[in-house]
Amino acid sequence: LVRSMKTDVAGIAQNTKFTEEQIKSIKNHLFMTKHDLGGDELEYFDANYEIAQSWQRLIDGRNIEPHDIILLEHELLELEYMLKGFSQEVAHRKAEEIYNYAIHIKKGD
Protein backbone atom coordinates (compact mmCIF):
# COMPACT_ATOMS: atom_id res chain seq x y z
CA LEU A 1 0.00 0.00 0.00
CA VAL A 2 2.77 2.46 0.91
CA ARG A 3 4.39 1.98 -2.51
CA SER A 4 1.28 3.45 -4.15
CA MET A 5 0.94 6.44 -1.81
CA LYS A 6 1.53 9.86 -3.38
CA THR A 7 1.12 12.29 -0.47
CA ASP A 8 2.80 10.45 2.41
CA VAL A 9 6.24 12.03 1.90
CA ALA A 10 4.94 15.59 2.10
CA GLY A 11 2.69 14.73 5.04
CA ILE A 12 5.45 13.12 7.07
CA ALA A 13 7.83 15.99 6.34
CA GLN A 14 5.18 18.44 7.49
CA ASN A 15 4.57 16.44 10.68
CA THR A 16 8.24 15.97 11.62
CA LYS A 17 11.56 17.81 11.60
CA PHE A 18 12.66 15.92 8.47
CA THR A 19 12.77 17.40 4.99
CA GLU A 20 10.76 16.01 2.09
CA GLU A 21 14.04 14.91 0.52
CA GLN A 22 14.97 12.94 3.64
CA ILE A 23 11.52 11.33 3.87
CA LYS A 24 11.60 10.44 0.18
CA SER A 25 15.01 8.80 0.68
CA ILE A 26 13.68 6.87 3.68
CA LYS A 27 10.57 5.76 1.79
CA ASN A 28 12.64 4.63 -1.17
CA HIS A 29 14.99 2.73 1.13
CA LEU A 30 12.25 1.07 3.18
CA PHE A 31 9.58 0.38 0.60
CA MET A 32 10.65 1.02 -2.98
CA THR A 33 14.18 -0.40 -3.36
CA LYS A 34 15.14 -4.05 -3.44
CA HIS A 35 18.17 -4.93 -1.33
CA ASP A 36 20.71 -7.73 -1.02
CA LEU A 37 19.26 -9.55 1.97
CA GLY A 38 21.39 -12.66 1.57
CA GLY A 39 19.25 -14.52 -0.94
CA ASP A 40 19.89 -15.28 -4.60
CA GLU A 41 18.10 -12.14 -5.79
CA LEU A 42 17.52 -8.61 -4.55
CA GLU A 43 14.42 -8.36 -2.38
CA TYR A 44 12.13 -5.84 -0.76
CA PHE A 45 12.21 -5.76 3.02
CA ASP A 46 9.55 -8.00 4.55
CA ALA A 47 6.29 -6.33 5.44
CA ASN A 48 6.32 -5.23 9.07
CA TYR A 49 3.20 -4.33 11.03
CA GLU A 50 4.97 -1.99 13.46
CA ILE A 51 6.65 -0.06 10.65
CA ALA A 52 3.33 0.23 8.80
CA GLN A 53 1.70 1.58 11.96
CA SER A 54 4.53 4.06 12.52
CA TRP A 55 4.33 5.22 8.90
CA GLN A 56 0.58 5.81 9.22
CA ARG A 57 0.93 7.79 12.46
CA LEU A 58 3.65 9.89 10.85
CA ILE A 59 1.38 10.60 7.88
CA ASP A 60 -1.60 11.46 10.09
CA GLY A 61 0.46 13.63 12.42
CA ARG A 62 -1.53 12.34 15.38
CA ASN A 63 -0.38 10.14 18.25
CA ILE A 64 3.19 10.07 16.93
CA GLU A 65 5.21 7.87 19.26
CA PRO A 66 8.90 8.40 20.08
CA HIS A 67 9.75 5.14 18.29
CA ASP A 68 8.15 6.49 15.09
CA ILE A 69 10.82 9.20 14.97
CA ILE A 70 13.48 6.62 15.90
CA LEU A 71 12.38 4.63 12.84
CA LEU A 72 13.08 7.61 10.60
CA GLU A 73 16.43 8.30 12.28
CA HIS A 74 17.42 4.63 12.01
CA GLU A 75 16.52 4.27 8.34
CA LEU A 76 18.23 7.52 7.39
CA LEU A 77 21.43 6.48 9.17
CA GLU A 78 21.26 2.96 7.72
CA LEU A 79 20.95 4.44 4.24
CA GLU A 80 23.93 6.73 4.87
CA TYR A 81 26.05 3.73 5.88
CA MET A 82 24.95 1.84 2.77
CA LEU A 83 25.87 4.80 0.57
CA LYS A 84 29.34 4.60 2.15
CA GLY A 85 29.63 1.00 0.95
CA PHE A 86 28.45 -1.03 3.92
CA SER A 87 26.17 -4.01 3.27
CA GLN A 88 22.56 -3.64 4.35
CA GLU A 89 23.15 -6.09 7.20
CA VAL A 90 26.16 -4.21 8.57
CA ALA A 91 24.52 -0.81 8.01
CA HIS A 92 21.44 -2.00 9.89
CA ARG A 93 23.50 -3.19 12.86
CA LYS A 94 25.50 0.03 12.98
CA ALA A 95 22.34 2.17 12.81
CA GLU A 96 20.73 0.00 15.48
CA GLU A 97 23.55 0.85 17.89
CA ILE A 98 22.31 4.45 17.89
CA TYR A 99 18.63 4.20 16.87
CA ASN A 100 17.20 0.85 17.91
CA TYR A 101 13.58 0.86 16.73
CA ALA A 102 12.83 -2.70 17.88
CA ILE A 103 13.92 -2.09 21.47
CA HIS A 104 11.86 1.10 21.70
CA ILE A 105 8.76 -0.71 20.43
CA LYS A 106 9.19 -3.35 23.14
CA LYS A 107 9.68 -0.66 25.78
CA GLY A 108 6.56 1.15 24.57
CA ASP A 109 8.21 4.45 23.78
Side-chain angles (χ1 to χ4, degrees):
L1 179 63
V2 173
R3 289 186 189 112
S4 66
M5 291 180 175
K6 303 292 185 217
T7 60
D8 56 332
V9 169
I12 293 171
Q14 183 176 349
N15 295 327
T16 66
K17 65 178 179 124
F18 297 87
T19 67
E20 282 193 39
E21 182 178 316
Q22 288 173 314
I23 300 300
K24 184 175 182 178
S25 294
I26 293 166
K27 179 180 179 174
N28 286 337
H29 175 64
L30 261 179
F31 302 108
M32 310 299 280
T33 303
K34 292 183 178 184
H35 301 281
D36 180 355
L37 302 178
D40 294 334
E41 298 179 17
L42 297 178
E43 308 172 64
Y44 293 115
F45 291 127
D46 289 337
N48 180 291
Y49 178 77
E50 286 85 8
I51 290 175
Q53 293 296 311
S54 287
W55 200 256
Q56 190 61 56
R57 283 189 297 272
L58 290 163
I59 292 167
D60 294 342
R62 293 187 309 271
N63 303 316
I64 293 175
E65 309 258 347
H67 65 263
D68 300 336
I69 301 302
I70 290 168
L71 170 67
L72 298 178
E73 296 281 10
H74 171 94
E75 297 303 335
L76 196 57
L77 184 57
E78 181 178 305
L79 180 57
E80 288 176 25
Y81 283 130
M82 289 176 69
L83 292 173
K84 291 179 181 179
F86 290 95
S87 69
Q88 187 281 323
E89 181 182 357
V90 171
H92 176 74
R93 281 198 317 261
K94 288 175 76 64
E96 218 170 38
E97 291 172 5
I98 300 169
Y99 301 110
N100 193 319
Y101 178 71
I103 283 180
H104 287 279
I105 288 173
K106 289 177 186 174
K107 290 179 7 183
D109 54 326

